[in-house]
Amino acid sequence: MKKSILLSAVALCFSLSFSSCKNNEEKLKDAQKDMIQAQKKLIKAESESMREYDNFRMKISKKITDNELAIADLKIKAIDGTMSQKQKFNAQVEKLEIKNMELKQTLDAYGTYNADTWDAFKKDIDARTAALEKDFEAINRK
């Protein structure tokens, strides 16, 4: 009887230790699965962010190109008026050209892509683009 109780106790201890190892192995596998899922989500998020950046960059590049064409049109535009009016017009066109060039340089210089700088960069570019559009509207009204 003592032997069977002792054997039962040993068997119980062995099975408990074996099942706890299995639980640890299962926990490890679950943790590995969770880590793989987290890596997949991170890769997907990075991919979506890069796609958003690329779309934004293409949209702004198109605006810059459109601005360059509009500036070229303004440069060849003959305006009626005095010499001082023509000089003022040419100075305004030159300012547009400089602002457009600065916008292009800022867009080209953005190399550190991360979430912290992305929002600030996007707001800055959007504000510059909007200001440039207003300047174009103002000069075209004349």
Side-chain angles (χ1 to χ4, degrees):
M1 174 92 172
K2 285 186 178 181
K3 278 188 172 183
S4 67
I5 293 174
L6 186 61
L7 282 173
S8 295
V10 170
L12 180 64
C13 288
F14 181 73
S15 66
L16 287 175
S17 67
F18 181 72
S19 67
S20 76
C21 287
K22 187 173 183 182
N23 286 337
N24 286 339
E25 287 177 15
E26 287 175 2
K27 289 178 184 177
L28 178 62
K29 287 181 182 180
D30 288 343
Q32 288 173 337
K33 286 179 185 177
D34 290 343
M35 187 177 75
I36 290 170
Q37 290 299 322
Q39 286 175 335
K40 286 180 181 179
K41 287 179 183 178
L42 177 64
I43 291 169
K44 183 179 178 182
E46 287 175 345
S47 176
E48 289 171 0
S49 295
M50 288 303 295
R51 191 176 15 239
E52 180 184 355
Y53 169 71
D54 289 340
N55 289 339
F56 180 76
R57 184 176 175 79
M58 286 184 348
K59 180 181 90 172
I60 298 300
S61 292
K62 183 183 180 326
K63 285 184 180 183
I64 290 170
T65 302
D66 292 345
N67 291 346
E68 289 171 348
L69 294 172
I71 290 168
D73 287 344
L74 289 171
K75 283 184 174 181
I76 60 173
K77 179 181 177 182
I79 62 165
D80 294 328
T82 65
M83 183 59 113
S84 118
Q85 289 172 326
K86 289 180 182 182
Q87 287 175 341
K88 184 178 176 183
F89 178 81
N90 289 337
Q92 289 173 328
V93 171
E94 189 174 319
K95 285 181 184 178
L96 288 174
E97 188 172 26
I98 290 169
K99 285 183 179 182
N100 198 54
M101 208 173 355
E102 288 172 347
L103 180 65
K104 184 179 189 316
Q105 289 171 345
T106 302
L107 186 65
D108 290 343
Y110 185 69
T112 55
Y113 181 83
N114 65 51
D116 296 333
T117 60
W118 168 245
D119 288 333
F121 171 76
K122 188 175 177 182
K123 286 178 184 176
D124 178 47
I125 293 294
D126 285 339
R128 288 182 186 211
T129 303
L132 200 51
E133 286 174 5
K134 286 181 182 178
D135 291 345
F136 271 105
E137 289 172 7
I139 201 168
N140 283 323
R141 278 186 255 144
K142 295 180 180 182

